[in-house]
Amino acid sequence: EGAGPPFPHVPTRFLNEAESLDFASALRLRVVPHRLCRSQLEVTEAFRAFGPVVALKACSPAVPHKSVLGLVALDVADEDEARRVFQRIWERMEHTFPTREGVLVEPMIRSRREIVVGARVDPAFGPVVLVGDGGPYAEVLAGTTLLIPPFLISLPAGIYCAVRPDAVLARFILGASVLGISVPVFLTGI
């Protein structure tokens, strides 16, 4: 099936969240439906598409940790509130960050665990991949592992559990029924 789509070329260290979600989706990973909005009209349309309850998040490669900075709103339950929250996030980004590419609107999804999957080409090691617990405290908690591709897709899940002892997370990451394809298959294309 090939190695998947080429990695997007961007001149910054991070992709913004919309670019990351689109890239993961192109690899056939299930991602949350989302719209990148730049106006109150676009937010209203996104709310109507994803409601009755949505999340709004700042979207900029300069802001990888949005919730700590008050740039995330959860459980937004009506159009007027969505427009007010959009305006607050938009104005806060304008005064704080060099780029503001928009505000993501997504349906609220509960009972799912957040994971982080990141990749970069390190000058010393070549391609490296970060896999682990996601969310606002991903870098603070010891819940991530750095791996060097290629990964053997035939390795049993037990080996990945040894690398990442959190068996629940390992099953979540490796579960084809959860992600659509296994992460080791995704990571071989890096």
Side-chain angles (χ1 to χ4, degrees):
E1 293 190 26
F7 193 79
H9 176 72
V10 292
T12 60
R13 182 168 183 240
F14 292 103
L15 298 177
N16 71 39
E17 187 172 348
E19 292 167 329
S20 297
L21 290 168
D22 292 343
F23 182 67
S25 181
L27 292 168
R28 296 185 318 236
L29 293 169
R30 287 190 325 173
V31 299
V32 64
H34 60 280
R35 286 197 190 166
L36 184 61
C37 301
R38 294 178 182 90
S39 71
Q40 289 187 356
L41 177 61
E42 291 177 341
V43 168
T44 300
E45 292 169 354
F47 181 87
R48 290 176 182 165
F50 298 137
V53 181
V54 299
L56 281 81
K57 302 189 266 182
C59 186
S60 167
V63 192
H65 304 292
K66 300 170 285 294
S67 59
V68 180
L69 300 172
L71 298 171
V72 174
L74 304 177
D75 297 312
V76 176
D78 68 63
E79 291 178 16
D80 290 334
E81 182 184 6
R83 286 189 291 270
R84 283 192 304 274
V85 168
F86 166 82
Q87 197 62 41
R88 179 183 55 80
I89 291 173
W90 190 252
E91 288 171 4
R92 181 174 284 175
M93 288 175 66
E94 179 180 32
H95 299 297
T96 310
F97 300 102
T99 61
R100 57 176 185 170
E101 296 175 14
V103 174
L104 279 177
V105 179
E106 305 170 347
M108 283 296 304
I109 298 178
R110 303 200 186 281
S111 301
R112 295 285 183 195
R113 188 163 189 172
E114 210 170 311
I115 63 168
V116 60
V117 177
R120 68 174 284 184
V121 178
D122 181 85
F125 295 103
V128 292
V129 177
L130 172 91
V131 180
D133 289 316
Y137 307 109
E139 292 176 349
V140 182
L141 301 175
T144 58
T145 299
L146 278 175
L147 302 171
I148 299 173
F151 304 110
L152 301 175
I153 61 174
S154 61
L155 289 177
I159 292 175
Y160 285 96
C161 290
V163 171
R164 177 70 194 111
D166 182 343
V168 173
L169 178 62
R171 280 195 308 273
F172 180 82
I173 291 172
L174 295 172
S177 65
V178 175
L179 294 175
I181 63 171
S182 69
V183 169
V185 170
F186 159 68
L187 297 178
T188 57
I190 295 176

